[in-house]
mmCIF file of all heavy atoms in Angstrom:
data_model
loop_
_atom_site.group_PDB
_atom_site.id
_atom_site.type_symbol
_atom_site.label_atom_id
_atom_site.label_comp_id
_atom_site.label_asym_id
_atom_site.label_seq_id
_atom_site.Cartn_x
_atom_site.Cartn_y
_atom_site.Cartn_z
ATOM 1 N N ASP A 166 -43.016 -51.721 12.690
ATOM 2 C CA ASP A 166 -43.886 -52.712 12.062
ATOM 3 C C ASP A 166 -44.730 -53.361 13.151
ATOM 4 O O ASP A 166 -44.598 -53.024 14.338
ATOM 5 C CB ASP A 166 -43.083 -53.755 11.271
ATOM 6 C CG ASP A 166 -42.100 -54.548 12.121
ATOM 7 O OD1 ASP A 166 -42.153 -54.461 13.382
ATOM 8 O OD2 ASP A 166 -41.275 -55.262 11.545
ATOM 9 N N ALA A 167 -45.596 -54.281 12.756
ATOM 10 C CA ALA A 167 -46.506 -54.889 13.718
ATOM 11 C C ALA A 167 -45.754 -55.659 14.802
ATOM 12 O O ALA A 167 -46.109 -55.609 15.984
ATOM 13 C CB ALA A 167 -47.492 -55.813 12.996
ATOM 14 N N GLY A 168 -44.696 -56.350 14.416
ATOM 15 C CA GLY A 168 -43.939 -57.128 15.397
ATOM 16 C C GLY A 168 -43.259 -56.262 16.434
ATOM 17 O O GLY A 168 -43.292 -56.562 17.635
ATOM 18 N N SER A 169 -42.626 -55.178 15.981
ATOM 19 C CA SER A 169 -41.966 -54.290 16.946
ATOM 20 C C SER A 169 -42.997 -53.608 17.831
ATOM 21 O O SER A 169 -42.760 -53.381 19.024
ATOM 22 C CB SER A 169 -41.102 -53.258 16.224
ATOM 23 O OG SER A 169 -41.874 -52.443 15.353
ATOM 24 N N ALA A 170 -44.162 -53.289 17.266
ATOM 25 C CA ALA A 170 -45.218 -52.680 18.078
ATOM 26 C C ALA A 170 -45.691 -53.632 19.163
ATOM 27 O O ALA A 170 -45.908 -53.221 20.308
ATOM 28 C CB ALA A 170 -46.384 -52.267 17.179
ATOM 29 N N ARG A 171 -45.842 -54.905 18.811
ATOM 30 C CA ARG A 171 -46.249 -55.904 19.811
ATOM 31 C C ARG A 171 -45.201 -56.016 20.912
ATOM 32 O O ARG A 171 -45.530 -56.111 22.099
ATOM 33 C CB ARG A 171 -46.453 -57.267 19.145
ATOM 34 C CG ARG A 171 -47.719 -57.394 18.327
ATOM 35 C CD ARG A 171 -48.960 -57.498 19.197
ATOM 36 N NE ARG A 171 -49.006 -58.707 19.973
ATOM 37 C CZ ARG A 171 -49.529 -59.859 19.559
ATOM 38 N NH1 ARG A 171 -50.057 -59.933 18.335
ATOM 39 N NH2 ARG A 171 -49.533 -60.911 20.335
ATOM 40 N N ALA A 172 -43.929 -56.002 20.533
ATOM 41 C CA ALA A 172 -42.854 -56.101 21.519
ATOM 42 C C ALA A 172 -42.848 -54.898 22.452
ATOM 43 O O ALA A 172 -42.670 -55.031 23.672
ATOM 44 C CB ALA A 172 -41.499 -56.227 20.801
ATOM 45 N N ILE A 173 -43.065 -53.699 21.893
ATOM 46 C CA ILE A 173 -43.070 -52.481 22.704
ATOM 47 C C ILE A 173 -44.276 -52.471 23.634
ATOM 48 O O ILE A 173 -44.171 -52.081 24.804
ATOM 49 C CB ILE A 173 -43.031 -51.254 21.780
ATOM 50 C CG1 ILE A 173 -41.657 -51.155 21.102
ATOM 51 C CG2 ILE A 173 -43.329 -49.976 22.548
ATOM 52 C CD1 ILE A 173 -41.594 -50.192 19.940
ATOM 53 N N GLU A 174 -45.430 -52.893 23.141
ATOM 54 C CA GLU A 174 -46.605 -52.988 24.012
ATOM 55 C C GLU A 174 -46.358 -53.982 25.142
ATOM 56 O O GLU A 174 -46.679 -53.712 26.309
ATOM 57 C CB GLU A 174 -47.833 -53.403 23.212
ATOM 58 C CG GLU A 174 -49.099 -53.498 24.052
ATOM 59 C CD GLU A 174 -50.295 -53.995 23.275
ATOM 60 O OE1 GLU A 174 -50.112 -54.830 22.355
ATOM 61 O OE2 GLU A 174 -51.423 -53.567 23.590
ATOM 62 N N ALA A 175 -45.758 -55.140 24.826
ATOM 63 C CA ALA A 175 -45.483 -56.152 25.839
ATOM 64 C C ALA A 175 -44.507 -55.650 26.900
ATOM 65 O O ALA A 175 -44.548 -56.084 28.055
ATOM 66 C CB ALA A 175 -44.924 -57.413 25.178
ATOM 67 N N ALA A 176 -43.644 -54.708 26.507
ATOM 68 C CA ALA A 176 -42.685 -54.134 27.457
ATOM 69 C C ALA A 176 -43.350 -53.163 28.421
ATOM 70 O O ALA A 176 -42.735 -52.746 29.406
ATOM 71 C CB ALA A 176 -41.567 -53.422 26.701
ATOM 72 N N GLY A 177 -44.612 -52.784 28.153
ATOM 73 C CA GLY A 177 -45.345 -51.940 29.082
ATOM 74 C C GLY A 177 -45.720 -50.575 28.562
ATOM 75 O O GLY A 177 -46.209 -49.736 29.332
ATOM 76 N N ALA A 178 -45.542 -50.310 27.273
ATOM 77 C CA ALA A 178 -45.871 -48.992 26.729
ATOM 78 C C ALA A 178 -47.377 -48.743 26.799
ATOM 79 O O ALA A 178 -48.178 -49.629 26.503
ATOM 80 C CB ALA A 178 -45.397 -48.871 25.287
ATOM 81 N N SER A 179 -47.753 -47.520 27.166
ATOM 82 C CA SER A 179 -49.169 -47.150 27.234
ATOM 83 C C SER A 179 -49.686 -46.644 25.903
ATOM 84 O O SER A 179 -50.894 -46.428 25.736
ATOM 85 C CB SER A 179 -49.384 -46.086 28.311
ATOM 86 O OG SER A 179 -48.567 -44.956 28.068
ATOM 87 N N ALA A 180 -48.792 -46.426 24.943
ATOM 88 C CA ALA A 180 -49.160 -46.019 23.588
ATOM 89 C C ALA A 180 -48.004 -46.391 22.666
ATOM 90 O O ALA A 180 -46.874 -46.618 23.127
ATOM 91 C CB ALA A 180 -49.436 -44.523 23.520
ATOM 92 N N ILE A 181 -48.300 -46.463 21.380
ATOM 93 C CA ILE A 181 -47.279 -46.774 20.379
ATOM 94 C C ILE A 181 -47.118 -45.566 19.463
ATOM 95 O O ILE A 181 -48.097 -44.982 18.999
ATOM 96 C CB ILE A 181 -47.697 -47.988 19.523
ATOM 97 C CG1 ILE A 181 -47.846 -49.251 20.382
ATOM 98 C CG2 ILE A 181 -46.708 -48.226 18.382
ATOM 99 C CD1 ILE A 181 -46.565 -49.775 20.975
ATOM 100 N N ALA A 182 -45.871 -45.196 19.201
ATOM 101 C CA ALA A 182 -45.562 -44.180 18.191
ATOM 102 C C ALA A 182 -44.762 -44.842 17.088
ATOM 103 O O ALA A 182 -43.888 -45.672 17.368
ATOM 104 C CB ALA A 182 -44.761 -43.034 18.798
ATOM 105 N N THR A 183 -45.050 -44.490 15.838
ATOM 106 C CA THR A 183 -44.248 -45.033 14.750
ATOM 107 C C THR A 183 -43.096 -44.095 14.420
ATOM 108 O O THR A 183 -43.090 -42.923 14.791
ATOM 109 C CB THR A 183 -45.090 -45.248 13.483
ATOM 110 O OG1 THR A 183 -45.484 -43.982 12.939
ATOM 111 C CG2 THR A 183 -46.317 -46.096 13.780
ATOM 112 N N THR A 184 -42.115 -44.614 13.709
ATOM 113 C CA THR A 184 -41.027 -43.828 13.149
ATOM 114 C C THR A 184 -41.080 -43.977 11.638
ATOM 115 O O THR A 184 -41.023 -45.101 11.123
ATOM 116 C CB THR A 184 -39.647 -44.272 13.668
ATOM 117 O OG1 THR A 184 -38.619 -43.849 12.746
ATOM 118 C CG2 THR A 184 -39.533 -45.786 13.826
ATOM 119 N N SER A 185 -41.211 -42.876 10.913
ATOM 120 C CA SER A 185 -41.301 -42.975 9.451
ATOM 121 C C SER A 185 -40.013 -43.538 8.860
ATOM 122 O O SER A 185 -40.044 -44.289 7.880
ATOM 123 C CB SER A 185 -41.616 -41.614 8.835
ATOM 124 O OG SER A 185 -40.586 -40.682 9.098
#
Side-chain angles (χ1 to χ4, degrees):
D166 60 11
S169 60
R171 285 287 294 272
I173 290 167
E174 181 184 33
S179 56
I181 298 293
T183 68
T184 158
S185 62

